[in-house]
Amino acid sequence: MNKTVIGILAAGALLASVPWLGVPAFYESFLYLLCHWMILALSWNILSGYSGYFSFGHGAFFGIGMYTSAGLAANLNWPFLWTLPAAALLAALLGMALGAVVFRVKSVRGELFALLTLAITFVVGTIVLNTRIDGGPGIYLNSVAIPAIGPTASSSIYLMALLGAVATLLISYRIQASRLGMGLFAIHDDEDVAEVMGVPTFRYKLLAFGISCALAGLAGGIHALFVSYVTAGETFTIVVPLTVVLMSVLGGTRHWAGPAVGAVAITCLMYFFTAGNNPIAGKAAVGVILVLVILFMPNGILGFVLKRTAGKRSVPPALAAQAAAATEAAPAPATSGKVLLDVQNLSKAFKGVQALDGVSLQVHEGEILGLLGPNGSGKSTFINVVSGHFPATGGQMFFEGRQLAGLEAHSIAQAGIARTYQIPRPFAHLTVLQNVALVAMFGGAALNHEEATQEAWKWLAFTGLQDKADALPDDLNLHQRKFLELTRALASRPRLVLLDEVLSGLTPGEINEAIALIRKIRDRGATIVFVEHVMRAVMALADRVAVLNYGKLIAVGPAQEVMQNSEVVSAYLGTPHA
């Protein structure tokens, strides 16, 4: 049990003693509201803050929890505590059912997802209002027995909310520190790349949505007892989602405790103005504060504080020794002749444009295969299809005898294939070290967090980026960003590495450095397919080359022979005319 968990539990235990201190019931109600908004803000952040899927539908799942507990306790005479798991479960089931459909549609992201979840709030509210669930008059909970957890009724409700807040804090912390949290942060920055790097994006989004909705349902169930009268008009409104968004953004969505900080700040601020008979001024002040935070502290209060207090880490001595060993060249393995990747009649069309047209190609274990062709010939499309970034229109792909066609991109990555992008696409809000460690966790290596961090240090030293471990990708130059792409690919311990124009935009000296690095990669046992226009690099590295033109494979063989092929010459230089 680490210090953070102990701190959360200790704070919870301390606050749990309040009802026995003899304080007025007002303070218990105020503390209840703090806990209530903490649960809602933290639960919203698990999906929307971590993964970037901005939801305005939190009020729907909160309302489902309220009506579930109210209906079961008031109408069916369930013991109130028994209704809370049902409230959380029903909210989670609705959220996951919605996510199972929406998350399959790639176009429903960003503002479309936000608008869809907002619509769900009013759809659910309309259904509740016009059925026997509510029927119009609402549900009274005056006769529901309040569980005797504390010495008074108000303290019992407060203690339920406190337990919920402590549990939500622990869940939020555990998620951020886990593989799930790392995967969600990658989805936030670039979902398509996260999938190609091995993150099971659909499953992770669905799981995060389910947890988020369950906790919102739990908060709703407790709140039903607090207000003692539940109506659709007061429940299914835009107030809840807007408030939790405000709290999360104010506190900081990139940290597990950020929404809790925001919830405490906003609740205290609103009480201060309300108690002073200035509720309108309070709302205006909250709006001004939010604008200032967005302009000057885009990572929220907690993010701003942590950035100011964070120090630069140095490479641990033990890892430095391992990293130095990783840079030593291993003896070059002989090309075995075994077929590692077998592509048969591969096709890919984009709305009628045939980018790949029946390409059949074999890649042998241990070789470096150069993939050449004029611009628009299908080279990058070939890399994208083999890596799963784009689904194939037709054909088959076998990797070590396993069929890849039809597999999701994360399954292809976990099979042992890694790639780089022509234009570097690092995860912008993760450090260089985190970018590399993430691939070690989710790619073919499938390491745990500690092992993945060690692997990341090793490969950062191999590519010379160890001094940039704590930097963000935006702080790197093009050369370093290109090498970060290489480092990420290597961290997954791949059997096959797909390099997409990794030398483009580099200076001659940087190209020489990259050529030497690619040789070292092959010498360490990887098979490489690389797309490149720098011919001196192709001639220096490639055991064989394959040439594409208009999506068709026109030549395969040793570089010197292929370069003299008349069809290849025509593809690059055109057909001579008299």
Side-chain angles (χ1 to χ4, degrees):
M1 189 178 296
N2 62 31
K3 293 180 180 179
T4 301
V5 174
I6 293 173
I8 294 171
L9 293 175
L14 182 64
L15 289 171
S17 66
V18 170
W20 285 272
L21 299 179
V23 298
F26 162 79
Y27 293 102
E28 293 172 346
S29 297
F30 179 72
L31 289 173
Y32 164 81
L33 290 175
L34 289 178
C35 295
H36 167 74
W37 286 114
M38 283 175 62
I39 298 172
L40 287 174
L42 287 163
S43 60
W44 178 88
N45 200 58
I46 289 172
L47 174 73
S48 300
Y50 290 177
S51 75
Y53 271 76
F54 216 80
S55 171
F56 279 121
H58 218 52
F61 309 109
F62 167 74
I64 288 168
M66 285 192 74
Y67 268 92
T68 300
S69 285
L72 292 176
N75 298 335
L76 299 181
N77 297 317
W78 280 35
F80 183 77
L81 289 178
W82 291 14
T83 71
L84 296 180
L89 179 61
L90 192 58
L93 289 176
L94 178 65
M96 295 182 76
L98 176 64
V101 176
V102 172
F103 291 147
R104 290 289 188 187
V105 183
K106 288 188 175 182
S107 60
V108 183
R109 297 178 183 174
E111 62 275 8
L112 290 180
F113 181 79
L115 291 173
L116 177 64
T117 52
L118 177 61
I120 290 297
T121 302
F122 298 111
V123 169
V124 173
T126 302
I127 293 172
V128 168
L129 182 62
N130 293 280
T131 60
R132 294 179 60 187
I133 299 173
D134 181 285
I139 302 177
Y140 290 89
L141 286 86
N142 296 333
S143 61
V144 174
I146 298 176
I149 299 175
T152 63
S154 61
S155 66
S156 294
I157 298 175
Y158 157 62
L159 289 173
M160 283 189 283
L162 176 62
L163 288 172
V166 169
T168 306
L169 280 166
L170 291 173
I171 291 169
S172 182
Y173 168 71
R174 284 299 188 188
I175 288 176
Q176 179 168 324
S178 69
R179 291 170 62 92
L180 174 59
M182 185 69 85
L184 292 173
F185 283 131
I187 291 170
H188 180 284
D189 287 351
D190 195 328
E191 183 173 345
D192 293 332
V193 173
E195 178 73 25
V196 171
M197 296 297 167
V199 178
T201 55
F202 174 77
R203 187 164 74 243
Y204 273 27
K205 290 183 295 184
L206 197 61
L207 179 58
F209 202 16
I211 295 172
S212 174
C213 294
L215 293 171
L218 174 66
I222 299 171
H223 199 62
L225 190 60
F226 178 77
V227 297
S228 74
Y229 176 52
V230 179
T231 64
E234 293 291 329
T235 302
F236 297 99
T237 68
I238 194 67
V239 173
V240 168
L242 285 181
T243 304
V244 297
V245 169
L246 172 63
M247 291 173 171
S248 299
V249 172
L250 179 63
T253 59
R254 300 289 296 185
H255 192 277
W256 62 270
V261 173
V264 171
I266 295 298
T267 304
C268 291
L269 188 64
M270 293 302 294
Y271 167 72
F272 173 78
F273 281 99
T274 302
N277 296 319
N278 293 299
I280 304 301
K283 293 180 180 180
V286 169
V288 170
I289 291 171
L290 179 61
V291 170
L292 293 175
V293 167
I294 291 174
L295 290 176
F296 301 106
M297 293 187 291
N299 293 320
I301 295 172
L302 195 57
F304 177 80
V305 172
L306 292 176
K307 185 177 181 179
R308 287 297 184 93
T309 57
K312 183 177 179 181
R313 289 176 296 177
S314 58
V315 184
L319 297 182
Q322 296 177 18
T327 61
E328 298 176 3
T335 303
S336 68
K338 173 186 173 183
V339 176
L340 187 66
L341 176 69
D342 187 7
V343 176
Q344 301 173 6
N345 298 314
L346 189 64
S347 299
K348 178 60 182 178
F350 297 97
K351 296 182 179 179
V353 177
Q354 196 68 39
L356 293 176
D357 188 3
V359 175
S360 294
L361 180 65
Q362 292 183 337
V363 180
H364 300 138
E365 186 177 35
E367 76 170 337
I368 298 180
L369 175 68
L371 194 58
L372 310 181
N375 289 330
S377 60
K379 306 181 299 298
S380 292
T381 301
F382 181 87
I383 298 291
N384 285 328
V385 172
V386 171
S387 65
H389 190 94
F390 295 145
T393 305
Q396 296 181 314
M397 299 182 295
F398 295 93
F399 181 69
E400 295 185 314
R402 179 186 178 186
Q403 174 67 270
L404 297 183
L407 290 182
E408 294 181 335
H410 72 267
S411 297
I412 294 176
Q414 292 165 4
I417 296 178
R419 66 159 298 173
T420 67
Y421 283 88
Q422 178 180 350
I423 300 174
R425 294 175 64 173
F427 301 115
H429 294 92
L430 299 181
T431 65
V432 168
L433 179 65
Q434 290 170 332
N435 264 275
V436 180
L438 180 140
V439 182
M441 292 172 65
F442 289 100
L447 305 177
N448 62 38
H449 191 276
E450 182 179 350
E451 293 170 339
T453 301
Q454 294 177 355
E455 191 76 3
W457 279 115
K458 180 176 76 174
W459 291 111
L460 285 171
F462 182 76
T463 54
L465 293 177
Q466 69 271 24
D467 292 337
K468 297 292 184 179
D470 292 317
L472 292 175
D474 284 347
D475 298 327
L476 306 182
N477 60 33
L478 178 61
H479 173 222
Q480 293 165 337
R481 287 164 70 89
K482 290 277 188 177
F483 273 34
L484 176 57
E485 287 283 308
L486 271 173
T487 310
R488 290 200 305 183
L490 296 173
S492 67
R493 299 180 184 175
R495 301 272 290 123
L496 175 63
V497 182
L498 308 173
L499 305 180
D500 193 359
E501 297 195 36
V502 73
L503 305 181
S504 63
L506 302 185
T507 66
E510 292 168 346
I511 289 174
N512 292 335
E513 185 180 348
I515 289 173
L517 191 62
I518 292 171
R519 283 201 183 103
K520 286 183 179 181
I521 294 171
R522 197 272 294 272
D523 291 346
R524 302 191 70 80
T527 302
I528 299 172
V529 175
F530 74 106
V531 173
E532 197 48 70
H533 288 291
V534 181
M535 292 309 298
R536 72 180 179 92
V538 174
M539 302 302 288
L541 291 171
D543 299 307
R544 292 188 305 144
V545 298
V547 182
L548 294 173
N549 191 34
Y550 293 112
K552 293 181 179 291
L553 184 66
I554 61 174
V556 182
Q560 293 287 355
E561 293 180 13
V562 170
M563 290 300 102
Q564 298 174 14
N565 183 296
S566 60
E567 196 172 356
V568 173
V569 173
S570 177
Y572 273 97
L573 302 179
T575 304
H577 296 279

